[in-house]
Amino acid sequence: MTTLPPLSLYVHVPWCVRKCPYCDFNSHGVGHDRTLPERAYVDALLDDLDAELALASGRELVSIFIGGGTPSLLSGAAYRRLLQAIEARLPFASDIEITLEANPGAVEHDRFAAYREAGINRLSLGVQSFQSLQLERLGRIHDGDEAAQALRNARAAGFDNINLDLMHGLPEQGVEDALADIEQALALAPEHISWYQLTLEPNTEFYSQPPRLPDEDVLCDIQEAGHARLEAAGYHRYEISAYTRPDRQARHNLNYWTFGDYLGIGAGAHGKLSAWQTDGALAIERRWKVRQPEAYLRRAQDPRGFVAGRRALETQELPLEFLMNALRLTEGVPRYYWRERSGQPDTLLDARLEEARAKGLLRDPAQRLQASPHGLLFLNDLLALCDEQ
């Protein structure tokens, strides 16, 4: 067996206008003047990629995702230069998906045309809510009208593949308010909606000073009502928190969830790479880059390079590593993906699945690895069973 998984590229832009109180990503506020070392950072990204090229094993890129932080703080010219240089180093699939995350409050509207001309063909707009009070609580720098206008401007610039990020379970939120956000999102007719629950993550302001969040009964009611409304509007739930119109799934994220490979460049970026060894074993490694932007830029002149750490995945941890991604998909994955993308036999996985199947959390795993509807509701319990030795 010599087949390797599809290959994607993640590019991290670590700056934002200000840090949101719920955010645990590697992001660093720069204030409203937005002065950034744009050229130096693109130079460093390309040096970082050059050091990773041998890991690509000659594969083409099926997707690129530019995340942050707030990537829309960088100019269209920067992305044109970056993407042209990436394509000169790695072949692009003919239908490559190239996504840029954008904050409606941190992008001048005429930039959308420049991003489209640079080769970006998918936008992910971080709306979170359309309600002024909730946006203020979340530390966002846009309002609902600006969010709607950003999508309209993106359409005018030629974008026909747009995701809206929405949160639910917001401070003191009830079902009616959550559904109001969904209705405003539906009125804008995006191709994809990411609708996920606010969680309190360590090392965030909300974790140290928690807001008053809805109780479990209200959260369940929000989830049930919101799911029904999105499905009724023609948005199919294909992942725990992702809804799509037909054939508009996020291909980059699908590659994550199906245990594909990805290079990661930029401050704090993570990657996962597979390689067949001479003895026939598949080695899988996770690697991550220096987090602080200033330190990352300095590493361009450092013989140690940009890598902050790396870890080879051990055989016994592969079942959980694989399943915690695959079982997020409502339709799961074909059974053969396990053998193809872990390099391990079915017997290593089977012992982890039997109890979950017996408890009704997993469908019959003979052909597909797929959570049951009950398993999707209690995914953490399902994964805990799959992690038992």
Side-chain angles (χ1 to χ4, degrees):
M1 184 183 297
T2 58
T3 301
L4 288 172
L7 181 68
S8 296
L9 173 66
Y10 175 73
V11 181
H12 192 74
V13 178
W15 296 286
C16 53
V17 174
R18 70 183 183 199
K19 185 84 169 178
C20 295
Y22 60 86
C23 178
D24 69 336
F25 296 141
N26 183 34
S27 59
H28 305 264
V30 295
H32 286 277
D33 65 349
R34 305 177 188 177
T35 301
L36 298 174
E38 184 175 271
R39 172 163 286 276
Y41 195 68
V42 172
D43 287 342
L45 289 172
L46 294 174
D47 288 343
D48 191 354
L49 179 60
D50 283 338
E52 305 265 271
L53 287 180
L55 303 172
S57 304
R59 287 174 284 174
E60 67 180 15
L61 291 177
V62 299
S63 65
I64 299 173
F65 193 99
I66 306 167
T70 304
S72 53
L73 291 176
L74 300 190
S75 68
Y79 288 121
R80 185 185 314 112
R81 176 176 167 237
L82 176 65
L83 292 172
Q84 287 176 350
I86 292 171
E87 189 172 16
R89 290 160 167 80
L90 288 169
F92 283 10
S94 59
D95 60 348
I96 189 171
E97 174 192 271
I98 305 177
T99 301
L100 176 78
E101 285 187 334
N103 181 339
V107 57
E108 291 80 9
H109 294 154
D110 59 357
R111 281 196 176 189
F112 285 121
Y115 294 148
R116 188 68 191 88
E117 291 169 4
I120 294 161
N121 55 26
R122 183 175 183 270
L123 280 181
S124 182
L125 296 176
V127 173
Q128 315 312 356
S129 175
F130 290 92
Q131 299 169 34
S132 296
L133 177 59
Q134 293 292 7
L135 289 168
E136 182 179 347
R137 287 168 169 165
L138 294 173
R140 307 299 285 172
I141 62 172
H142 66 273
D143 60 31
D145 290 340
E146 287 175 320
Q149 188 60 47
L151 188 141
R152 289 191 287 267
N153 288 336
R155 291 283 191 226
F159 282 97
D160 63 0
N161 195 2
I162 298 175
N163 168 65
L164 290 187
D165 272 351
L166 281 182
M167 283 184 173
H168 62 88
L170 302 179
E172 302 180 32
Q173 188 180 54
V175 175
E176 184 176 340
D177 285 341
L179 288 178
D181 274 342
I182 289 177
E183 291 299 335
Q184 291 184 74
L186 293 175
L188 295 169
E191 284 68 35
H192 190 283
I193 296 175
S194 297
W195 189 58
Y196 52 95
Q197 183 179 321
L198 171 64
T199 56
L200 304 184
E201 302 291 348
N203 302 315
T204 66
E205 183 181 327
F206 272 3
Y207 191 81
S208 59
Q209 299 178 313
R212 189 167 67 181
L213 299 182
D215 63 31
E216 287 298 323
D217 288 341
V218 173
L219 289 174
C220 288
D221 290 343
I222 289 173
Q223 181 67 51
E224 183 177 343
H227 171 73
R229 181 65 188 99
L230 287 164
E231 290 276 354
Y235 289 83
H236 170 61
R237 183 193 191 195
Y238 70 103
E239 188 268 343
I240 287 289
S241 58
Y243 293 78
T244 183
R245 286 183 162 179
D247 300 319
R248 291 305 186 114
Q249 295 93 336
R251 280 185 274 155
H252 186 87
N253 289 343
L254 276 175
N255 196 37
Y256 290 157
W257 296 324
T258 56
F259 216 51
D261 280 353
Y262 50 98
L263 298 165
I265 61 173
H270 284 238
K272 168 195 169 282
L273 282 305
S274 306
W276 289 104
Q277 306 299 293
T278 56
D279 63 358
L282 184 65
I284 302 174
E285 181 183 77
R286 294 198 181 277
R287 50 203 287 123
W288 53 96
K289 305 300 172 60
V290 173
R291 284 179 57 86
Q292 291 295 324
E294 296 80 5
Y296 179 83
L297 287 168
R298 288 196 299 271
R299 283 292 186 101
Q301 310 301 322
D302 191 320
R304 292 175 295 173
F306 299 94
V307 176
R310 61 186 66 178
R311 185 174 69 84
L313 297 184
E314 301 293 337
T315 299
Q316 290 304 312
E317 61 186 322
L318 283 172
L320 182 62
E321 286 274 347
F322 182 88
L323 293 170
M324 68 189 299
N325 289 286
L327 294 182
R328 292 184 64 88
L329 295 170
T330 59
E331 297 178 4
V333 298
R335 177 62 185 245
Y336 72 86
Y337 273 27
W338 160 253
R339 298 184 296 273
E340 184 181 88
R341 301 190 179 185
S342 75
Q344 300 297 322
D346 286 343
T347 52
L348 179 64
L349 193 63
D350 287 341
R352 314 288 186 102
L353 302 178
E354 182 52 37
E355 186 176 357
R357 188 196 62 77
K359 290 187 174 183
L361 298 174
L362 195 71
R363 293 188 184 274
D364 185 347
Q367 298 299 322
R368 296 190 69 82
L369 299 170
Q370 181 183 11
S372 67
H374 188 62
L376 286 172
L377 289 174
F378 297 96
L379 187 59
N380 287 338
D381 294 337
L382 169 56
L383 292 175
L385 289 175
C386 295
D387 192 33
E388 290 180 358
Q389 303 298 312

